[in-house]
Amino acid sequence: MTGLVFRFATVSGQRIDWRLVRNCSVTPVQLGWMYLSLCVVSLGIATCFWILGARLVMPFAWLEMVAVGIAFAMYGRHAADGERISLQGSRLVVELETAGKLERAEFDRSWVRVEPKSGDRSLIMLSAQGRTVAVGRFMRPELRPALASEIRMALRAA
């Protein structure tokens, strides 16, 4: 594997890894602190209005916090989604993580086919021995063909 240059992969010894993750601007921990501060400010303002006699402000502030909390929870649940493709020796291992659920597929390197699903901008299909896995959903569509050729090159060279 010496001499091979990879754009998307990391090489450590005889192992090649591709890690494709969702582009998140905020981690789940940061999101929790942001939600807590939003609750403090919103409910603090609602409390001031409630003390001044505007009694209907408080229920709407709570309703707002519940709605924002649900949206943040949905975002946080998928913030760590990603795909990991590993080539080590004669095995190609594909791990897909979605909402905390991990799916794993293992292929014999010599049997793997790498092809686009239906066109150049579609997901990359890795198939062998009657099993197919789609990868590349966390990558820009115009970069998927380059990733597919990189995986093909690594499979041939390994």
Side-chain angles (χ1 to χ4, degrees):
M1 298 216 209
T2 58
L4 294 178
V5 178
F6 294 104
R7 180 176 176 188
F8 305 108
T10 56
V11 179
S12 58
Q14 293 297 313
R15 183 183 177 116
I16 304 172
D17 288 311
W18 291 269
R19 180 82 175 125
L20 310 170
V21 294
R22 183 178 297 277
N23 186 10
C24 294
S25 58
V26 179
T27 67
V29 172
Q30 292 170 328
L31 191 66
W33 282 109
M34 191 167 63
Y35 178 67
L36 181 64
S37 65
L38 183 64
C39 285
V40 168
V41 169
S42 184
L43 294 175
I45 292 170
T47 301
C48 290
F49 278 101
W50 186 73
I51 290 171
L52 293 173
R55 303 281 183 218
L56 287 177
V57 172
M58 188 62 80
F60 283 103
W62 279 104
L63 182 64
E64 173 193 12
M65 290 300 97
V66 168
V68 169
I70 290 170
F72 279 11
M74 289 174 63
Y75 172 85
R77 187 167 184 215
H78 291 282
D81 288 358
E83 303 167 344
R84 183 172 177 211
I85 306 164
S86 298
L87 179 61
Q88 185 172 14
S90 67
R91 306 302 297 166
L92 179 73
V93 178
V94 180
E95 295 175 340
L96 308 173
E97 185 173 352
T98 306
K101 188 179 100 176
L102 183 68
E103 293 179 40
R104 180 182 165 102
E106 206 168 313
F107 300 108
D108 184 352
R109 175 191 63 80
S110 58
W111 291 95
V112 177
R113 289 183 49 172
V114 181
E115 53 194 27
K117 187 174 182 180
S118 61
D120 287 341
R121 296 175 63 87
S122 67
L123 294 178
I124 300 164
M125 303 304 290
L126 302 174
S127 57
Q129 302 150 330
R131 188 162 186 196
T132 302
V133 177
V135 297
R137 56 186 59 75
F138 302 115
M139 183 170 237
R140 290 192 338 241
E142 62 270 14
L143 295 176
R144 289 178 190 151
L147 175 65
S149 11
E150 189 172 293
I151 294 171
R152 275 189 212 102
M153 178 181 66
L155 287 169
R156 281 192 301 262

